[in-house]
Amino acid sequence: MNHDASTAAASPRVRPSYLKVFLMFARNSLVRNMMFRGNFIIECVTSLSWMAMNLAFYMLVFGYAESLGGWTKYQFLVFLSTTLFVNSLVQAFFMPNAEEFSELIRTGNLDFALLKPIDTQFLISLNKVDWSALSNFFFGGALLVYSLARLEQQPGLIQMVLYPIYVVCGVAIFYSLMIALASTSVWLGRNQALYEFWFYITNFSRYPMEIYRGTIGSPLRTFFTFVVPLLVVVNVPARLMAKPLDAQSWPLAIFALAAAIASVWASRMIFNRAMLSYRSASS
Amino acid sequence: MATAGTGGAALDPGGGAAHLQPSALVTWWTILRTSIEERLVYRGDFALGTLMRFLPLVTQVFFWGAIFDALGAVSATSTVAGYTNNEIIAYYLLTQISRAFSSMPNLSNSIALQIRNGEIKKFLVQPVDLIGFLLVSRVAHKLVYYLVAVGPFALVFFLCRGFFSGWPEPHIMLAFLLSLVMSFLIGFFLEATFGMIGFWWLEVSSLLFVYMLLNFFFSGHMFPIDMLPGWWGTIVRAVPLQYLAYFPAAVFLGKIQGTALAWGLLYQLFWVVFFVVLCRWTFNRGVQHYSGYGG
């Protein structure tokens, strides 16, 4: 990581090539992952078996009930594969970095990141890639193909094109929340509990939003759609694919796009504010 | 010394305290007291963490609500594997209690670590039994946990009281408490045995991960194991993991009654004895296998 930044500084261009730097990060992480190949395989297998168990549970549930919040079995499997895409991307690219970020703040090692001639948020958000997390991405891909073939209404070309865009929007919303939470370490000193909080709160995104009904459910749904837009992360892309004819979904889809942009912008503001309050540590 | 008696009673199952002399009691009481004081340092973090552990329950309430809605549209008598909607939620709440007894965070890892870095040597030299020591410090850990967690638990159970149909009969309650104590013992000796594998493997974390996965699914933490059909159900009932989450909860809800309850408790007792013996045996074998150098 050190020499990447120094070569970037040594080059005559003032602006570093962000893509090149990122590719170098990805390559280095892959090399590091491959150094412990046994461990890498075990991590892939365990996350896949975890997913298989979840899948088994949902299959069991759909053995009793025909639908969940208006989603049939195969529609829900499309939903599940979307969850897998979003989560595996976040876990591969951002999770290891966000964890390290609050440690960097606590130990004062963030100084070194601040000194590098590259955007600090870019550097601390992407400098590690956990390749093993992507095993669930492929699992999700297989599940998507399997369940799409069994749907009554297949999505059209527009949905196929929009789907990956909305998956990326979902990743952006999750990322924003994560980096905003990690930034608070500057004020709190440490936020171990906040990470658990992150896991628990993203739990809300795992099911179709229709299940949140009633006197408690409806406000909860409104809150997690419009205030903290966790519910649109998986719901919007999944609905495009699983319920392509649902006309209701378009306003929400437009909102999701706006929510993604707003989240990234807000998290950038919080990050910058946090950097202004950062006062190294110890010596 | 009246209080020392309770400390001694708690460590009887350790096996290491066959002949309790006053001096031994003082030793164990001191171990218990220091462990309690050590644990109380992080009480704020504890309470908050405990409360947050109930957050996924909110999602589960709505998830199962949607399932039962779909069922209700088909037939009037909507149950899943004999559970009504309220019973399922009550079940999840109760498994949190079972898990509060049976889960042993960091036990296996710390044993394996002590084996790896040689710290285990002090138990081979000093007249303190390793398993007994670990059991007493775990009892202290749990006591402090209950002391702090009783607040959040009471709050959540009070808010969720509508999911319960009232307190069970006294004998069911007694069976429930008995099964909780035994689930603590099974959890402790099972995970300690995993730690002892460190004598041979040194690193047990990948093994533990597999165990945690299986545990989450087969202990009934994820769903009541009554939902499993056919031979799957038979296998899971034959495996002791069900006593770590499912069994106490099912007893409380009156799912297991009469002779089935008596047999269930007996089987659970069998597994307690089984893991006590297994843990002791692997420890003795491990010590014979162990060689320590330097330091």
Side-chain angles (χ1 to χ4, degrees), chain B residues 56 75 88-89 100 128 132 144 176 186 188 193 199 217 225 238 250 255 262 264:
Chain B
S75 70
I88 287 256
I89 304 303
V128 175
V144 172
F176 173 64
I186 292 179
F188 175 82
T193 308
F199 277 114
F217 199 79
I225 56 173
K255 295 288 166 194

Side-chain angles (χ1 to χ4, degrees), chain A:
Chain A
M1 180 186 92
N2 240 330
H3 65 263
D4 301 334
S6 56
T7 43
S11 74
R13 283 165 55 199
V14 183
R15 230 182 103 82
S17 161
Y18 282 85
L19 181 67
K20 265 192 196 159
V21 175
F22 171 67
L23 289 178
M24 186 59 85
F25 287 156
R27 212 186 74 101
N28 284 349
S29 304
L30 188 62
V31 169
R32 199 164 28 203
N33 275 176
M34 286 304 121
M35 262 168 26
F36 310 101
R37 221 161 296 171
N39 184 60
F40 179 79
I41 292 168
I42 288 175
E43 276 177 14
C44 289
V45 170
T46 43
S47 63
L48 283 175
S49 20
W50 172 240
M51 236 10 266
M53 280 183 181
N54 270 299
L55 193 60
F57 169 64
Y58 294 130
M59 289 307 205
L60 216 56
V61 165
F62 276 104
Y64 288 97
E66 300 224 312
S67 68
L68 173 69
W71 294 62
T72 62
K73 181 173 159 185
Y74 293 111
Q75 284 174 336
F76 182 73
L77 290 185
V78 171
F79 188 96
L80 187 64
S81 44
T82 312
T83 311
L84 282 174
F85 287 141
V86 175
N87 282 343
S88 63
L89 288 173
V90 170
Q91 270 161 27
F93 294 106
F94 303 118
M95 190 87 99
N97 298 300
E99 272 169 9
E100 206 173 274
F101 179 41
S102 65
E103 270 309 282
L104 287 178
I105 292 170
R106 197 178 64 84
T107 55
N109 280 334
L110 189 66
D111 299 3
F112 301 106
L114 287 168
L115 286 172
K116 303 246 160 65
I118 197 162
D119 185 80
T120 309
Q121 188 174 358
F122 169 81
L123 183 69
I124 60 102
S125 302
L126 281 164
N127 85 72
K128 242 192 215 168
V129 178
D130 176 11
W131 287 95
S132 65
L134 287 178
S135 53
N136 271 342
F137 186 87
F138 295 105
F139 187 92
L143 188 62
L144 183 68
V145 171
Y146 170 83
S147 41
L148 273 183
R150 280 157 186 79
L151 282 185
E152 279 172 28
Q153 255 121 25
Q154 310 287 337
L157 187 67
I158 305 171
Q159 282 88 356
M160 294 279 196
V161 173
L162 284 177
Y163 182 71
I165 296 174
Y166 276 106
V167 168
V168 171
C169 284
V171 172
I173 292 172
F174 267 0
Y175 162 76
S176 307
L177 182 69
M178 192 187 264
I179 210 75
L181 282 179
S183 297
T184 57
S185 320
V186 166
W187 297 287
L188 299 176
R190 180 168 216 181
N191 62 356
Q192 222 72 337
L194 273 174
Y195 277 113
E196 276 182 40
F197 189 61
W198 190 81
F199 273 108
Y200 291 139
I201 212 169
T202 50
N203 209 22
F204 284 103
S205 71
R206 279 175 47 194
Y207 297 116
M209 59 204 295
E210 288 87 349
I211 70 168
Y212 300 102
R213 301 187 306 143
T215 45
I216 301 171
S218 299
L220 212 60
R221 177 173 163 177
T222 312
F223 181 82
F224 283 119
T225 307
F226 298 109
V227 184
V228 183
L230 283 175
L231 280 177
V232 303
V233 168
V234 181
N235 271 280
V236 171
R239 185 182 298 267
L240 277 175
M241 287 303 244
K243 300 181 165 189
L245 295 182
D246 205 341
Q248 275 182 313
S249 61
W250 290 109
L252 196 66
I254 293 163
F255 169 76
L257 206 60
I261 295 167
S263 308
V264 172
W265 177 79
S267 75
R268 177 81 184 169
M269 296 292 283
I270 293 170
F271 180 84
N272 284 337
R273 179 64 65 84
M275 286 305 101
L276 287 177
S277 307
Y278 173 68
R279 301 165 297 165
S280 200
S282 69
S283 51

Side-chain angles (χ1 to χ4, degrees), chain B residues 213-233:
Chain B
L213 275 181
L214 292 175
N215 189 0
F216 192 64
F217 199 79
F218 293 120
S219 70
H221 192 197
M222 201 173 182
F223 57 85
I225 56 173
D226 301 286
M227 281 176 70
L228 287 167
W231 54 273
W232 271 106

